[in-house]
Amino acid sequence: MEKAHADGFPLTTDSSEKQGVVCIFGTGDFGKSLGLKMLQCGYSIVFGSRNPQVSSLLPRVAEVLSYSEAASKSDIIILAMHREHYDSLTELVDCLKGKVLVDVSNNRKINQYPESNAEYLAQLVPGAHVVKAFNTISAWALQSGTLDASRQVFVCGNDSKAKHRVMDIARTLGLTPLDQGSLMAASEIENYPLQLFPMWRFPFYLSSVLCVFFFVYCAIREVIYPYVNGKTDATYRLAISIPNRVFPITALILLALVYLPGILAAILQLYRGTKYRRFPNWLDHWMLCRKQLGLVALGFAFLHVIYTLVIPIRYYVRWRLRNATITQALTNKDSPFITSYAWINDSYLALGILGFFLFLLLGITSLPSVSNMVNWREFRFVQSKLGYLTLVLCTAHTLVYGGKRFLSPLILRWSLPSAYILALIIPCAVLVLKLILIMPCIDKTLTRIRQGWERNSKYTQSALKGKSDI
Ligand SMILES: Cc1cc2nc3c(=O)[nH]c(=O)nc-3n(C[C@H](O)[C@H](O)[C@H](O)COP(=O)(O)OP(=O)(O)OC[C@H]3O[C@@H](n4cnc5c(N)ncnc54)[C@H](O)[C@@H]3O)c2cc1C
Ligand SMILES: NC(=O)C1=CN([C@@H]2O[C@H](COP(=O)(O)OP(=O)(O)OC[C@H]3O[C@@H](n4cnc5c(N)ncnc54)[C@H](OP(=O)(O)O)[C@@H]3O)[C@@H](O)[C@H]2O)C=CC1
Ligand code: HEM
Ligand SMILES: [Fe+3]
C-alpha cells in the first residue's frame, strides 16, 4: 500500500536540485498533497502528526513524526490544519520560537472570525514569523497538476525574509507568488477564495427574475389568452416559441444593464461636479459585476441563436408552410412578393447576426489569455466602444423585428403589448442617455471632471492649472 503511493508519484527532474527540509503539520488532504508536490520538487519533507504510526497513506520518503519532533527538524513549518485546531499549538510555543509558520487555512464563510486566521496564529505563537500563503491553491489541483486555473499564491507577512522564503517555495512549485504586504492583508487573502461567487450572484438572480417574469408574461399572452378566447390549445408554445422570446429578451436587457451603471456613474459625476466622491455601494457593486452580467447575457444570446436555428425543422412551422402552399394551390392564388417585407426580414436577421458576432468578440476578449495580450486602451476600446455597438445592433435587430406591427393596437392582448416592446425600454433608454452624454458640451465637462477638475474646488486657480497640466 505504502509502496504503491510512493511509486505513484515519481520524482520529477526538479528533484535533482536539493531544496532543504520543510516541515508540514497535519497529514490531511492538503498536507499530503502539498508534501507530495514539494517532494517532487526536491524538498525533504517531515510531517508532523498527532498519530505518526497510522499515517500510512504518506509517501515513504517522507518522515512522519510527532508535532514537536517534526518542528525541531526544520525552521519553516507549513500548518496544513484548520484554524479550529490552532489552539493545540500553544503547547509548542517554545519550540516554534523564531520559526517561519505558514498559514494556509481558509474559512467556510467570509469574515467568519473577528480577526484573520493568520493574525490569530501570530497572537497564539508570538515568537514565530507568520506568513499567509497557498490558501488559494486546492489540494486537488496540487495532486492532479491542473493548476492552470489558479497558479497565483497571495503571500503576506510582517517579516520580509520569512515572506521571501515562502515565495521561493511557491516559485519552485511552479506557482506565481504575489506579495500582498503585511499580515494586515491576510483577511482579504482569506476572503479571496470565498469571494469568487458574489460577483455572479447578482447576474444570476437578475436573469432568473427576468426569465420567470417574461415566461409568465408570454404564457399569459400566447397560451392562456388563446385558450380563454377561442379554446385553442397553444401549450406547445411553451417549449420553443416562448423560450425563444424569453432568452433573447433577457440577453438584451442584461446587455443594456451592463452599460447602464457607466451612464449612471457619469450622471452622478456631472451632478456632483467631481470624481473624488465614492459612488453609492449598490453602484460600485453593479460596476464590478458588469463582466459577469455581460457573460450571462452572452449565454442567453447563445440560447436564442440555437433556438432560432431549429425553427425550420419544427413540426408547427413545417405544417404552416405546407398548409399555406396547399391553400394557395387549391385556391389557385399565389401571394405576391413584397420587397419591403423581404428587406425588413433580411435586415433584422443581419443585425442579429452582426450583433451576435460582436457579442462573441466581447466574450472572447474577456478571457484572461486574450485580455492579457491587449493593453488597457485596447481592452477599453473593445469593451466600451464595441460593447455599445453590440447594444445598438441588438436593439436595432429587435426594433426591426417588430417592424410595422410595432405600434399597431392589434398586438395588444388583454391590453398587454408584445414582450419585445417591454424588452426595448431599458436598451433604448440606455442608448438615448448615452447619446446625450456624448454631446460635445456634456462630454467636455465629463472629460474635465475625469481628469481631476472640480466644480466647487477648494483649490486656488493655480493649483487647478497645475492639475490640468498633468
Ligand atoms: C460578453 C461580455 C464580456 C465582458 N467582459 C468584461 C471583462 O472581461 N471585463 C470588464 O471589465 N468588463 C467586461 N464586460 C462589461 C463591459 O463591457 C465593460 O465593463 C465596459 O468597459 C463598460 O463600458 P462603459 O463605457 O459602460 O464603462 P467604462 O468605460 O468603464 O466607464 C464607466 C463609468 O465609470 C466611470 N469611470 C471610468 N473611468 C473613470 C476614471 N478614470 N475615474 C473616475 N470614474 C471613471 C465613469 O463614470 C464612466 O462613465 C463584458 C461585457 C460583455 C457583454
Ligand atoms: N483541502 C484543500 O483543498 C485546501 C485546504 N486548505 C487549508 O488547509 C488546511 C488543512 O485542510 P485539509 O487538509 O483539507 O483538512 P483535513 O481535515 O483533511 O486535515 C486536517 C489535518 O489537521 C491535523 N490536525 C491537527 N490537530 C487536529 C485536531 N485537533 N483535530 C483534527 N485534525 C487535527 C490532522 O492531521 P494529523 O491527523 O496528522 O494530526 C488533520 O489531518 C485547512 O486550514 C484548510 O483550510 C487550503 C487550501 C486548500
Ligand atoms: C445569429 C444571430 C441571431 C439571429 C439569427 C436571430 C434571429 C432572430 C429571430 C428569427 C427572431 C424572431 C423569433 C421569433 O419569431 O420568435 C429574433 C427575435 C429576437 N432577437 Fe434575435 N437573432 C440573433 C441574435 C440576437 C441577439 C444577439 C440578440 C440580443 C441580445 C437578439 C435579440 C432578439 C430579441 C429581443 C428578439 C425578439 C423576441 C421576441 O419577442 O420574439 N437576437 N431573433
Ligand atoms: Fe495506500
Side-chain angles (χ1 to χ4, degrees), residues 383-405:
Q383 290 294 335
S384 189
K385 300 279 191 305
L386 295 190
Y388 268 105
L389 189 56
T390 311
L391 183 59
V392 168
L393 288 172
C394 292
T395 308
H397 166 65
T398 314
L399 274 167
V400 179
Y401 162 72
K404 288 183 180 159
R405 292 166 294 166

Side-chain angles (χ1 to χ4, degrees), residues 95-138:
C95 60
L96 296 180
K97 229 187 189 95
K99 308 229 174 204
V100 178
L101 289 189
V102 186
D103 172 281
V104 303
S105 63
N106 281 317
N107 293 324
R108 283 179 303 280
K109 281 194 307 219
I110 287 186
N111 298 329
Q112 191 176 350
Y113 297 101
E115 76 287 78
S116 68
N117 298 351
E119 286 166 305
Y120 170 66
L121 179 65
Q123 284 164 24
L124 280 181
V125 194
H129 308 299
V130 174
V131 176
K132 178 92 210 172
F134 298 117
N135 66 312
T136 49
I137 305 291
S138 80

Side-chain angles (χ1 to χ4, degrees), residues 221-339:
R221 267 181 52 94
E222 293 170 43
V223 178
I224 300 177
Y225 179 85
Y227 183 77
V228 172
N229 272 322
K231 290 276 174 276
T232 318
D233 180 3
T235 43
Y236 68 91
R237 297 188 72 83
L238 293 172
I240 290 189
S241 306
I242 292 181
N244 200 25
R245 292 195 197 290
V246 174
F247 295 147
I249 285 174
T250 307
L252 185 63
I253 295 181
L254 291 180
L255 182 64
L257 291 177
V258 167
Y259 293 95
L260 184 56
I263 287 178
L264 295 180
I267 293 175
L268 212 61
Q269 287 175 336
L270 279 170
Y271 172 75
R272 290 170 166 174
T274 175
K275 72 163 184 177
Y276 297 110
R277 269 172 61 196
R278 267 185 62 112
F279 295 137
N281 277 342
W282 57 266
L283 187 55
D284 254 350
H285 184 76
W286 191 353
M287 299 266 265
L288 287 176
C289 66
R290 285 181 297 180
K291 172 178 179 167
Q292 289 76 359
L293 213 49
L295 291 175
V296 173
L298 177 60
F300 281 105
F302 237 115
L303 278 174
H304 168 52
V305 173
I306 296 169
Y307 272 93
T308 299
L309 285 180
V310 301
I311 288 179
I313 57 168
R314 292 177 64 198
Y315 167 77
Y316 156 72
V317 174
R318 284 185 298 152
W319 173 86
R320 243 180 46 173
L321 265 178
R322 227 174 23 233
N323 236 24
T325 316
I326 293 170
T327 311
Q328 280 179 16
L330 288 178
T331 54
N332 204 13
K333 261 206 279 183
D334 66 344
S335 55
F337 182 83
I338 305 170
T339 315

Side-chain angles (χ1 to χ4, degrees), residues 26-31 48-51 55 67 79-83 85-86 88 104-107 134-140:
T27 56
D29 291 337
F30 193 73
S49 174
R50 287 165 303 167
N51 211 342
S55 300
Y67 282 125
L79 300 179
M81 51 204 274
H82 294 277
R83 172 195 168 119
H85 305 135
Y86 280 0
S88 60
V104 303
S105 63
N106 281 317
N107 293 324
F134 298 117
N135 66 312
T136 49
I137 305 291
S138 80
W140 179 82

